[in-house]
Amino acid sequence: MKKYIRFWMIVLVVMFIVFLPHTFRKKDHQPLVAVLLMNEVRLEKLTGLKDGLAQMGYAEGKNINFITANAHSQRDELEHLATELVAQKPDVLVAGGRVEAEVLAPQAKNLSIPLVFMGAAATWNTRESDLGAHDNITGIDNYHVDLAGKRLELLVKLVPGIQRVLVLYDPRVVPGPASLAVVQEAARKLNITLHVVAVTSLKELKTSLDMMPPEAADAVMVMSGFLLEEGMGSIGKAAVAKGWPVMGLNAADVEAGALAAYGCPFTEQGRQAARLVAKVLANRDVATIPIETPDRLELVVNLEVARQLGIEISPTVLGLASRTLDRGGNSNAVFMVE
């Protein structure tokens, strides 16, 4: 009898040693969120993500941790960075955009790690996308393709009399050609002539802009893509010098020198994606979390650039704007229109 009791006491002690620490580890486990970014411009999305999670009670360093990898616009670095992030065994992977998600998706699928993207093309809105089935993928559709035609319409309203529009796009990214097709259809309806220029490097972008005479276009439209995000500063500077108003995709483009932009702000894409990350951390099945459309779209107009270009925007048209940017003099204020 004593041997029997001793045997079970040993079993209980072993179970205590093995399972009790594991129980405490599970209780004290801090979720790890791994974020992959293509460039510095997309850091705004990371800010929005952290802010959104903080509003839901996730305090960085207290009950949630983040690791971030930035490719600094070097596309060849993404695969390596993605592998390093996945090796950390995060609870959820977050992609800064389409190109990051393309790299993360196969590894996320192989290891059954949920993947949330902060703004990507609409090709993920079908159960079978160009990446295959995405039972472990969800995120925010940035609507770049769908809004391309609307951006051309708004550009014509802001600057009446436009006839020739220079369109810059990157044929390597999925939203590039898709957005171009939408703009071409809108141009036919508006009786606008498009001068399409494909760019695949910052050097090529600069050369194309430098060689183009001012009379070659009345305005510029920028399509979506990480390269054009990175090059918006050069685009804005060259466009002002040649007298071209630029229509961009979001407020970051306006900050970089575009006359206007229409789309979902980067910070909002991150903040909205935070809701999806929170659902994943709450053990919600990713397959049941639908891809979301943007909560907020805004038209931002740069009045300082308008003055530099000698453009007078009518109060009626300006009333369409959600925000106007005007840093005239020493002011850094952003004035709300609505």
Side-chain angles (χ1 to χ4, degrees):
M1 182 69 177
K2 289 183 179 180
K3 290 183 178 179
Y4 179 80
I5 294 174
R6 187 179 299 123
F7 169 78
W8 282 107
M9 286 181 66
I10 293 173
V11 170
L12 289 173
V13 169
V14 171
M15 291 178 64
F16 181 86
I17 293 173
V18 172
F19 292 107
L20 188 62
H22 175 72
T23 301
F24 279 114
R25 284 198 301 270
K26 293 290 285 185
K27 183 177 180 181
D28 296 337
H29 172 71
Q30 292 186 7
L32 179 62
V33 178
V35 184
L36 180 61
L37 300 173
M38 183 63 198
N39 53 36
E40 283 74 12
V41 179
R42 295 184 179 182
L43 285 170
E44 289 188 28
K45 296 186 181 186
L46 177 61
T47 298
L49 175 69
K50 290 184 176 182
D51 287 349
L53 286 169
Q55 291 172 8
M56 288 178 280
Y58 288 96
E60 184 174 5
K62 294 183 179 179
N63 59 357
I64 193 170
N65 290 311
F66 296 88
I67 51 174
T68 305
N70 188 334
H72 302 288
S73 297
Q74 302 301 311
R75 191 171 187 170
D76 294 341
E77 289 293 314
L78 281 178
E79 191 76 39
H80 171 68
L81 293 175
T83 301
E84 287 187 340
L85 288 179
V86 170
Q88 299 300 312
K89 299 181 179 180
D91 296 276
V92 58
L93 290 162
V94 178
R98 164 96 197 183
V99 67
E100 298 97 322
E102 287 175 343
V103 173
L104 285 171
Q107 299 193 46
K109 182 179 180 180
N110 290 339
L111 297 176
S112 298
I113 303 175
L115 171 60
V116 177
F117 55 83
M118 300 185 289
T123 49
W124 266 304
N125 278 341
T126 56
R127 216 53 218 157
E128 289 288 334
S129 72
D130 53 326
L131 292 179
H134 52 77
D135 289 334
N136 69 321
I137 302 176
T138 188
I140 309 301
D141 179 354
N142 55 29
Y143 257 35
H144 281 338
V145 174
D146 307 71
L147 296 176
K150 183 66 174 179
R151 292 187 181 106
L152 182 59
E153 293 177 17
L154 288 169
L155 178 59
V156 171
K157 286 183 179 180
L158 288 167
V159 191
I162 286 177
Q163 293 296 320
R164 299 160 301 170
V165 175
L166 169 64
V167 178
L168 300 173
Y169 89 109
D170 186 345
R172 301 170 303 168
V173 299
V174 170
S179 299
L180 178 61
V182 174
V183 169
Q184 288 172 330
E185 178 60 27
R188 281 192 286 269
K189 294 178 181 179
L190 295 167
N191 197 27
I192 297 293
T193 300
L194 301 182
H195 181 183
V196 179
V197 175
V199 291
T200 57
S201 71
L202 290 177
K203 182 179 180 180
E204 187 178 13
L205 173 63
K206 184 178 185 304
T207 300
S208 297
L209 292 173
D210 288 346
M211 292 179 61
M212 199 163 298
E215 61 272 14
D218 301 318
V220 179
M221 273 199 66
V222 179
M223 300 292 98
S224 59
F226 67 90
L227 170 66
L228 294 169
E229 285 176 4
E230 192 74 16
M232 269 307 302
S234 298
I235 295 171
K237 184 177 180 180
V240 168
K242 295 176 185 289
W244 298 335
V246 177
M247 172 60 76
L249 290 81
N250 52 61
D253 294 342
V254 175
E255 292 275 358
L259 171 68
Y262 181 60
C264 182
F266 277 170
T267 51
E268 290 301 318
Q269 290 180 37
R271 192 170 290 114
Q272 190 172 346
R275 295 205 307 259
L276 306 184
V277 171
K279 290 179 181 179
V280 172
L281 296 179
N283 294 318
R284 174 92 172 265
D285 182 2
V286 183
T288 68
I289 305 175
I291 293 170
E292 295 186 4
T293 56
D295 279 347
R296 175 184 166 194
L297 297 173
E298 65 174 13
L299 171 64
V300 185
V301 179
N302 192 325
L303 296 180
E304 182 181 4
V305 169
R307 283 195 298 270
Q308 291 174 345
L309 295 172
I311 297 172
E312 289 189 19
I313 302 174
S314 73
T316 301
V317 175
L318 197 57
L320 299 173
S322 306
R323 291 193 291 149
T324 60
L325 178 68
D326 192 351
R327 292 197 177 96
N330 295 321
S331 172
N332 288 321
V334 176
F335 299 99
M336 300 299 295
V337 176
E338 295 179 341

